[in-house]
Amino acid sequence: MKVKVISRSTDEFTRERSQDLQRVFRNFDPNLRTQEKAVEYVRALNAAKLEKIFARPFVGAMDGHIDAVSCMAKNPNHLKGIFSGSMDGDVRLWDLASRQTVCQFPGHQGAVRGLTASTDGRILVSCGTDCTVRLWNVPLATVTDSDDSSDNSVKPLAVYVWKNAFWAVDHQWNGDLFATAGAQVDIWDHNRSQPVNSFEWGKDTVISVRFNPGEPNVLATSASDRSITIYDLRMSSPARKLIMRTKTNSIAWNPMEPMNFTAANEDCSCYSYDARKLDEARCVHKDHVSAVMDIDYSPTGREFVTGSYDRTVRIFQFNAGHSREVYHTKRMQRVFCVKFSCDGSYVISGSDDTNLRIWKAKASEQLGVLLPRERRNQEYLEAVKNRYKHLPEVKRIVRHRHLPKPIYKASALRRIMTEAERKKEERRRAHSAPGSMPRVPLRKKRIIKEIE
Amino acid sequence: MGVRKEDDTSAKIMAPKEQEISDEIEIKVKKYLRGEGANLEVLHDKKLKGQLAVREELYGKSAKAAAKAEKWLMPSEGGYLEAEGIEKTWRIKQEAIAREVDILSRKNQYDIVLPELGPYTMDFTSSGRYMAVAGRKGHLAIIDMKSMGLIKEFQVRETVRDVVFLHNEQFFAAAQKKYPYIYNRDGTELHCLKEHGAIMKLQFLTNHFLLASVNKFGQLHYQDVTTGQMVGNYRTGHGRSDVMQVNPFNGVVALGHSNGSLSMWKPTSSAPLIKMLCHHGPVSALAFHSNGHLMATAGMDRKIKLWDLRKFKVLQTITGHAKTLDFSQKGLLAASTGSFVQILGDFSGSQNYSRYMNQSIVKGYQVQKVLFRPYEDVLGIGHSMGWSSILIPGSGEPNFDSWVANPFETSKQRREKEVKSLLDKLPPETVMLDPRKIGTMRPMRKKEKPSKQEREAEMDAAVADAKNSITRKKKTKGRNKPSKRSKKVQEAVERAKRPFLEEESSQKKKQKISEQSELPKSLQRFVRKAA
């Protein structure tokens, strides 16, 4: 007869010295674990509650400006700094870690309307309502610089005066040219004091301009005649124009999918388009209750942040119709510009109350270096919460956000209004000949036409 | 299924050994997949379909990775007993086995004789390291099985009918003459649970931290041992029953009654989940397999029946008495009566249990309880003169998971595990017959309530029918007035409409009643009824 019995020798299963690690043996057999789903559900519920307990998104505010912050710019080579320009002509470079001004760039007489950094990050371009474009040398912000208590002022590298006030500026992601928006779209070179090229389609002011991250010669602009125009520098004429029902305040290209861009519109929603097919929006992002003023994509290309006239900052996922997160404070008034930080973990908003505020992109994230054990635990909690987030108890906790009363009421009102419109349309459809009123999706409804 | 064969187009002809290996892995993968994949064809929402398809693929990949990792993660193989030639496994005696195995395993065969203190019952912790024994005449002891050392023993000087460990070896509960008591590892009496009364059997639901007991009058009590709250106490309605087992798969408590029926209970309802008639006489013993759908019951009608719990049908009937039954981790069934213990095993894989091993203890000793020791090939037998332990090769699970049950646990690991299991404590509502239903969608109602349009259409159709079907006798002599004719038609239409309108008004009434009943009683008279 052949016999074998389980016999475990202690030294195989325990450690020799107290300095050794404990030995861990795993057996993933589902039969050893009873009621897995119930345990997972309880963990998901606890994870949702813990997430809400640790959700403290506000990191800090940077004050120093004496007028509303009108525009911000990121430096792609230096993650720690951000430029901001205000309505009284004050341009500053901030250090995000210490939340202090590193240096100031005085010179603009009127409001600074646009800021952008060059490809290598050495030159800052600013434009304003005083019809000037100024180029500045960006000092290498080292620790010793920020120790100086007196603000450093930098003299401009060059000042170019032109014919009309400027509304926006943007630099090529990979090149030497930058574009300004004003009465028309002008393309400038760093060393020329006059624009190299000029585009115009229609007689209205162009209010924002953005270069494509993937294709250095393509740029998108939005004008006050409710249009979005796409230009190609190589063609020396505009490529396509899309007219919507309301004006677009700002455009942002998706850095990971450079053919897609999202437009922040006056009618409280953002529209994502594929630049190759402009007759229909890819996605409509609805959640704001007032005009969306600015939009910026995260470097991962998976989320974007919007700042709106209704005093809130919202973070959306790139393909979701509703926002994932909303940030508001009593002290933050109309938000005019937002930026996602270059490492994707912070969101910076510049608002009417002269402050720039830093928020965490993930409200309950633990900042700093995490041990691998901690990180794995956080990832597990996130995954188990996502698995059960459609169940009513968990959903109620995950979805819950406090909104200021005016915004809550305004969104309820908007819902009632859209519902009433929809009902009326349904009734009209029910009382007319079948097929005479085709359904037009919202993605198409807000577009008037597309012009070649 | 979530798993798709990766090498469909390439390398169709595999070497036979590779084919074998891939077949083996397929079987293992099935175990880790935990059921069928979802049917995504019925979804119309493309976004959701895409997201779920990605998830299903991920499940398939993780099941495959777990199946492949088994080779390296599981260091030990199980025990076995194979008879050679004309030998039969059930004729092999324990002495013969003892000669063949190593000295460590031989230590697991022993007899402890304590003649004065009554029949012994026992319980193991979930890791199999500690054992609690209770003699009927009041002897309580905890023993560390690794070192065979006695941790604590004491006399409570009254009858003890049952003993059970709580979540770890630090606490155990003893069913004494009048009430159950909870003791510490050092023998300190921590709690006296007066609400339960004089109980016959105790069981502990590990995931829910609930102590279940059935008392002399047939009342079932559930108490949460972390907060001390009594979660439920129910009258079973069948009188005294001393057969109680908890199904580890779903946390349901099963009671066997003296009229041959079996009832299954959950902590949140006063009526049993299931009542089934098992035997022609009283139920004498009950055991659950760890996979959750196999149950063995024994009755005084000299039958041991194996049930499939999904369909509630008998799979197999074996003749024989059994005072106590127990399933091992690997599916072996131990049944014992008098001084005879038999172990049955399912070797063909088709749920057909046959004789595996036998053991006759000393004649005159009456077996009180058999219990397999987790993660070891050992069967503990508690009898009227003490307790013994015998070797049953192939009964225990050879590979334990340190984070589920660790026989080599240090005190630090034990404390961590206690905290983690308290955080994962399940609420009593999660006990249900099929625990996999959590997180699933409620099935659609077969008959949808008709929408308003449909109801109106039905009403119109009924009215039209009524108008057409009215046939009036042609009356003469001034009785066929047009006003009377139109009145008749109107009455017929109203009769046709009445059931629809009654339904609507009853719905409205229901709404109103529910609204009214939301108010406290003192305010209900002030609610103005709308005209």
Side-chain angles (χ1 to χ4, degrees), chain A residues 7-16 22-25, chain B residues 75-76 400 408:
Chain A
S7 79
R8 297 193 185 94
S9 68
T10 324
D11 29 309
E12 265 178 38
F13 290 88
T14 50
R15 61 182 182 181
E16 284 178 21
Q22 290 283 2
R23 290 193 201 192
V24 171
F25 297 89
Chain B
S76 335
F400 60 87
F408 299 94

Side-chain angles (χ1 to χ4, degrees), chain A residues 98-117:
Chain A
S98 58
R99 301 202 282 272
Q100 303 290 337
T101 308
V102 172
C103 65
Q104 293 192 326
F105 304 89
H108 270 283
Q109 310 292 340
V112 179
R113 279 288 170 192
L115 279 178
T116 182

Side-chain angles (χ1 to χ4, degrees), chain B residues 369-506:
Chain B
K369 183 155 186 185
V370 279
L371 201 57
F372 278 102
R373 193 172 146 199
Y375 302 106
E376 292 281 344
D377 282 337
V378 164
L379 177 70
I381 308 170
H383 48 76
S384 54
M385 296 290 214
W387 69 88
S388 349
S389 153
I390 56 175
L391 288 176
I392 311 286
S395 62
E397 170 66 54
N399 302 300
F400 60 87
D401 190 323
S402 303
W403 292 338
V404 170
N406 188 355
F408 299 94
E409 213 168 38
T410 62
S411 65
K412 222 179 183 180
Q413 286 174 334
R414 188 198 67 230
R415 285 189 301 227
E416 284 279 336
K417 183 158 181 282
E418 191 175 7
V419 172
K420 285 264 152 69
S421 55
L422 279 171
L423 285 173
D424 290 338
K425 180 177 92 159
L426 300 177
E429 300 87 50
T430 51
V431 175
M432 54 184 78
L433 276 179
D434 182 10
R436 289 170 303 182
K437 264 204 302 196
I438 294 177
T440 52
M441 304 276 288
R442 207 185 303 164
M444 258 186 49
R445 264 185 291 193
K446 275 194 204 150
K447 193 175 154 220
E448 284 279 348
K449 249 171 61 177
S451 66
K452 193 167 179 201
Q453 275 185 343
E454 286 170 9
R455 261 185 280 143
E456 281 183 22
E458 276 176 25
M459 197 161 84
D460 287 337
V463 165
D465 270 338
K467 278 196 193 158
N468 287 340
S469 65
I470 205 157
T471 45
R472 243 204 129 244
K473 215 164 120 178
K474 269 262 170 86
K475 288 205 176 167
T476 52
K477 292 198 180 170
R479 291 193 185 96
N480 194 8
K481 278 198 258 184
S483 56
K484 278 206 183 150
R485 259 188 284 146
S486 63
K487 219 188 213 171
K488 277 279 171 177
V489 170
Q490 259 187 19
E491 272 175 29
V493 165
E494 265 174 46
R495 240 181 289 132
K497 274 195 182 172
R498 193 185 299 153
F500 296 97
L501 295 174
E502 268 179 8
E503 213 191 285
E504 266 190 48
S505 68
S506 74

Side-chain angles (χ1 to χ4, degrees), chain A residues 430-445:
Chain A
H431 287 273
S432 37
S436 61
M437 273 186 75
R439 289 180 202 271
V440 183
L442 186 62
R443 299 190 296 270
K444 270 207 162 98
K445 224 182 348 181

Side-chain angles (χ1 to χ4, degrees), chain B residues 83-127:
Chain B
E84 282 162 343
I86 52 163
E87 251 182 350
K88 299 285 181 197
T89 53
W90 61 84
R91 295 202 195 284
I92 297 174
K93 298 220 186 299
Q94 288 288 310
E95 294 85 24
I97 296 177
R99 280 196 290 270
E100 306 282 327
V101 293
D102 58 330
I103 196 167
L104 261 177
S105 310
R106 232 174 288 151
K107 280 201 179 143
N108 279 327
Q109 279 181 341
Y110 59 85
D111 276 298
I112 303 219
V113 179
L114 297 161
E116 308 104 16
L117 292 166
Y120 275 83
T121 174
M122 56 178 39
D123 188 39
F124 289 107
T125 54
S126 59
S127 61

